[in-house]
Amino acid sequence: MRAKLKTFGIPIVFILLLIGALFFHQLLNVKQQPDPDWSRSIPLGYSSEERPLVFYNEEGLFLASNGKVDQFSFDESLNPNKEGSLNISVTRGKPFWTDGNKVLQVKGDQLISSDDTGDKTIEDNVTGISTSSNTIYYWKQEVLYSLSPADLSSKEVYRFPDEVLEAYVENDGSAVVQIRQDDTHAHLYYLDEELQLVKQPFAVVKTATNHHINGLSFLKENNQLTLLYNEEMRAQGTLSYKIWKLETPMSDIGTSIIKPAQIAFTNDQSGFKLESPRSVKFADIDGKPSILFTSESHKVGGQNTISLYVAPFSESNQFVATPVSTSKHFTYSPLQISDQNIAWLDYGGDYYELFGASQDEKAIVKSTEWSKRSVKEALNNSVLMLFSSLVTILVSFYWVLPSLFVLILLYMFKPNMFEKEEINWVEYASIILFILMPLTFVSKAMGDYFYFSAPGYLTFSGSEYVLLVIISILTALLWKVGRDPDWGTFGGVFYFMGIYILLYVTSIGPYIFNLF
């Protein structure tokens, strides 16, 4: 029993200590802010199996799903307060407007006002609607109308040469209107806050089923109009996304068709390019124009996560972005709800949950405290990383082959060597040959992802070789203590190999492959 304890018990203790170090590192990570200026993701007390429609104005944040409209307000520290609910069903996929008492929306082809007393029809034969906090536009084929939410009066804004497809509205009432050009393209027109339309288009966007515009945001600053819009593409069943920029002086709008420029983002923390950015919106962060968008996560366990990012806006087409969210799934409908607060929906496959992030000090402190949720997240990340390290076991199989080949050859031609009870030179030579093999894997094992995800005590200068030396020495000590003299040469060599691989995959292995 004591011999077995030395042989297996001591190595198992070291392996458990390394797994414990992995878990502790993940516990520290789940307290880590996505950026020093931002809190971790804060659950805001709302979830829904149906994807909610989102609307925000001075009265609060409104989320419409499951036959009702829920109203929330937030203090400076992003503490949520549910103000109430309206038992009104909102048409899925279509914008709406509300002040907490009535809801204006399109049902079928009717523009209606709904409240506790029922529905009131405002207009028939309506083909679309777009809203902002203080503005409502709707259209009937090629005719655009403006609706006053106060008295429900409407007036014709403009009759376009073809069908209105969409209107992208800012809070001041200005809008970019998308008009059909043909089956695969549309023109963009500019409408100012005084309902004065520039009567010539200034850009062309794609509207084909497999390649089309999917959201737009614009900024007016220093007598310059800047638009950012999303493009969604589908090829061979795979979706991809791009963000394009259009720029023109306000005085030149409509004088010519502007050519878009693709913009790219780099993750400030990882240094990697962010692929397939989408859901772009302009925001005002710390009084400065910024870009909100979503893209892939570069965090541990986040390979299937779409995270929220913010990037300071500049005249460049290359932006450095900072992650804002630490939620684990797909981010939808990001919006700014105050100078320091952002909210979004996170979808994990079963339901949508409302999250937020804040620059408020109290919110930051509260979000970095450990909770049942954060401990569970750390445990989940640790398990995922241990499963990732199993790939290292498969990869490390070739480390064994040279030593095994030498042992088999010697056993075939000089079997007398293996009859000695003491540890012979063949065993030492096979072990030394095995120790050299991981050196061939260093460049692949300790790449950019390793230095991005591993803790600091594994990523110092020269760590790729120092760590291998430490593992080799520790394995040799455990082998010396635990090796059974009755095993023979084969048993001794494979005992060393087994301990080495297990120490490797529980110390370095979790940070080599990001499979999740």
Side-chain angles (χ1 to χ4, degrees), residues 372-389:
K372 288 183 179 179
R373 187 180 190 127
S374 61
V375 172
K376 182 180 178 181
E377 182 181 339
L379 181 61
N380 182 58
N381 286 348
S382 301
V383 171
L384 291 178
M385 294 179 75
L386 285 173
F387 271 107
S388 295
S389 69

Side-chain angles (χ1 to χ4, degrees), residues 231-405:
E231 252 188 10
E232 179 182 299
M233 295 147 286
R234 183 182 292 275
Q236 297 179 344
T238 301
L239 281 174
S240 60
Y241 303 87
K242 293 180 181 178
I243 296 177
W244 297 85
K245 181 170 74 169
L246 295 165
E247 284 185 302
T248 180
M250 298 292 290
S251 57
D252 290 347
I253 297 174
T255 59
S256 63
I257 298 296
I258 309 167
K259 291 185 177 180
Q262 185 180 350
I263 63 175
F265 298 93
T266 301
N267 188 329
D268 181 47
Q269 295 180 358
S270 68
F272 300 153
K273 181 181 177 181
L274 290 164
E275 301 292 342
S276 285
R278 66 201 84 166
S279 302
V280 67
K281 283 190 176 182
F282 277 110
D284 186 15
I285 308 294
D286 291 332
K288 299 177 182 178
S290 301
I291 303 171
L292 283 178
F293 69 98
T294 64
S295 186
E296 60 181 357
S297 172
H298 288 164
K299 288 293 185 182
V300 171
Q303 189 165 331
N304 295 320
T305 298
I306 300 299
S307 295
L308 179 62
Y309 293 83
V310 61
F313 178 68
S314 65
E315 296 301 316
S316 172
N317 293 331
Q318 304 288 327
F319 298 93
V320 177
T322 299
V324 176
S325 64
T326 55
S327 48
K328 302 296 291 184
H329 305 111
F330 277 70
T331 298
Y332 290 98
S333 306
L335 76 159
Q336 185 176 9
I337 56 178
S338 74
D339 290 341
Q340 293 187 310
N341 296 327
I342 296 170
W344 66 90
L345 292 167
D346 182 76
Y347 181 61
D350 297 323
Y351 59 90
Y352 295 84
E353 186 173 5
L354 183 66
F355 280 89
S358 177
Q359 292 183 311
D360 178 77
E361 285 297 327
K362 292 181 180 178
I364 290 173
V365 170
K366 185 177 180 180
S367 73
T368 54
E369 295 174 350
W370 276 321
S371 63
K372 288 183 179 179
R373 187 180 190 127
S374 61
V375 172
K376 182 180 178 181
E377 182 181 339
L379 181 61
N380 182 58
N381 286 348
S382 301
V383 171
L384 291 178
M385 294 179 75
L386 285 173
F387 271 107
S388 295
S389 69
L390 293 179
V391 178
T392 310
I393 296 179
L394 299 177
V395 172
S396 65
F397 178 72
Y398 82 92
W399 301 350
V400 177
L401 296 179
S403 298
L404 180 61
F405 183 69

Side-chain angles (χ1 to χ4, degrees), residues 192-232:
D192 70 17
E193 59 271 21
E194 302 297 329
L195 302 185
Q196 298 300 307
L197 183 84
V198 178
K199 297 182 181 179
Q200 295 298 321
F202 64 90
V204 175
V205 293
K206 296 176 180 178
T207 57
T209 303
N210 61 350
H211 192 168
H212 59 271
I213 184 174
N214 185 20
L216 179 151
S217 183
F218 62 93
L219 173 70
K220 297 173 293 179
E221 188 178 60
N222 300 325
N223 200 36
Q224 182 93 353
L225 176 67
T226 304
L227 290 87
L228 299 177
Y229 67 91
N230 310 292
E231 252 188 10
E232 179 182 299

